[in-house]
Amino acid sequence: MLTFLAKCLNYLKDPYLVSIPKKITSPFTVIFMLSAICIIAGVFAGVFADLLVHLKLVPAPGPSILDDKEVSPFHFFIGAVLIAPVTEELIFRAQLKRFTGAIFFIAFMCGVLLCAITKNYWAFLISPVIFILLFIIYRFTIAGSVTRKFTFWVRAFPWYFHFTSICFALVHLSNFQKGITLLPLGILYTLPQLAIGLVLGFTRMNYGLKYSIAIHALYNLSFAILLLSKY
């Protein structure tokens, strides 16, 4: 595990574009080790976030929608272990290797933010507009030169990689009933999601999307079992 942890930490210090190996030896070892790292990172980040609230360094975030007993255990389990890992990995990690995918992601997140602020789903209409504008800028600036595009993407990628992890964390403010109103200190309440988002990003870049989906599902499974045990 220490080898995987060291590799993960070294990558997260300065993320870079990598080619996924065509064949990964011992895939179950990779999944087990990275799942363990993901769970440990999530637990430690969660304890730290709770400590900040306990010491009154940040206000309490209020009740969580996960405490809502109106959702049946079956639907909660399916959503957490099957639907969420696939959906979230396709949105937040699948596009990490594609520059045009990054443009789509930025436009999509603008729509999510505006939707959360206005509490109106029609706000998502801003996403296509932003995508078109960004694509036009891209098309008439760096798209004409492969070298210029590659150089820009290499330089921008470390920032973009961490940006996607932060977005992944902040989206989980929806787990709290106060939601977007927590945004000024939002990242402090979603430190577990930030921690696992970084690990999942490392996994996607170095081992592939199917591995990040599997590890995400196993992480959610471990906590779904704990939550369901309280029902």
Side-chain angles (χ1 to χ4, degrees):
M1 182 183 294
L2 292 178
T3 301
F4 282 91
L5 180 59
K7 184 178 179 181
C8 181
L9 291 176
N10 287 332
Y11 182 83
L12 294 179
K13 289 178 183 177
D14 186 20
Y16 53 89
L17 294 166
V18 293
S19 297
I20 299 172
K22 292 182 178 180
K23 184 177 181 181
I24 297 174
T25 58
S26 304
F28 291 106
T29 300
V30 171
I31 292 174
F32 175 79
M33 291 297 181
L34 290 177
S35 294
I37 291 172
C38 209
I39 291 171
I40 293 170
V43 169
F44 273 94
V47 170
F48 183 73
D50 289 341
L51 184 62
L52 291 176
V53 174
H54 180 72
L55 296 176
K56 298 183 178 180
L57 297 175
V58 297
S64 168
I65 63 172
L66 298 178
D67 298 326
D68 188 356
K69 299 299 190 296
E70 293 183 4
V71 179
S72 70
F74 174 77
H75 287 99
F76 172 76
F77 184 86
I78 295 298
V81 180
L82 296 179
I83 298 176
V86 174
T87 303
E88 292 177 355
E89 291 307 300
L90 288 175
I91 293 174
F92 291 95
R93 253 71 66 175
Q95 37 72 35
L96 279 174
K97 285 181 174 286
R98 304 286 183 182
F99 186 80
T100 49
I103 296 175
F104 173 82
F105 177 79
I106 293 171
F108 175 79
M109 290 309 302
C110 287
V112 171
L113 178 61
L114 192 59
C115 248
I117 293 174
T118 62
K119 296 182 179 179
N120 188 332
Y121 288 114
W122 286 101
F124 256 118
L125 291 176
I126 194 69
S127 290
V129 176
I130 293 178
F131 176 80
I132 292 171
L133 290 175
L134 291 176
F135 188 82
I136 290 174
I137 293 172
Y138 156 72
R139 178 66 181 81
F140 290 99
T141 53
I142 62 175
S145 170
V146 174
T147 301
R148 187 162 59 241
K149 175 183 175 181
F150 179 76
T151 301
F152 176 82
W153 187 219
V154 168
R155 291 178 178 176
F157 181 77
W159 298 92
Y160 178 71
F161 177 90
H162 290 300
F163 170 72
T164 60
S165 296
I166 292 171
C167 288
F168 174 73
L170 291 178
V171 161
H172 285 82
L173 285 175
S174 60
N175 288 348
F176 298 99
Q177 291 182 9
K178 291 183 179 180
I180 193 67
T181 60
L182 297 171
L183 188 57
L185 296 172
I187 200 68
L188 298 177
Y189 301 119
T190 55
L191 288 176
Q193 287 82 7
L194 176 61
I196 68 170
L198 291 170
V199 177
L200 292 171
F202 160 79
T203 303
R204 189 275 182 270
M205 293 302 297
N206 290 271
Y207 298 99
L209 187 63
K210 61 183 180 182
Y211 283 85
S212 64
I213 292 174
I215 292 166
H216 194 155
L218 289 173
Y219 175 86
N220 283 7
L221 174 63
S222 63
F223 285 93
I225 291 173
L226 290 176
L227 287 173
L228 290 176
S229 66
K230 298 179 181 179
Y231 273 82

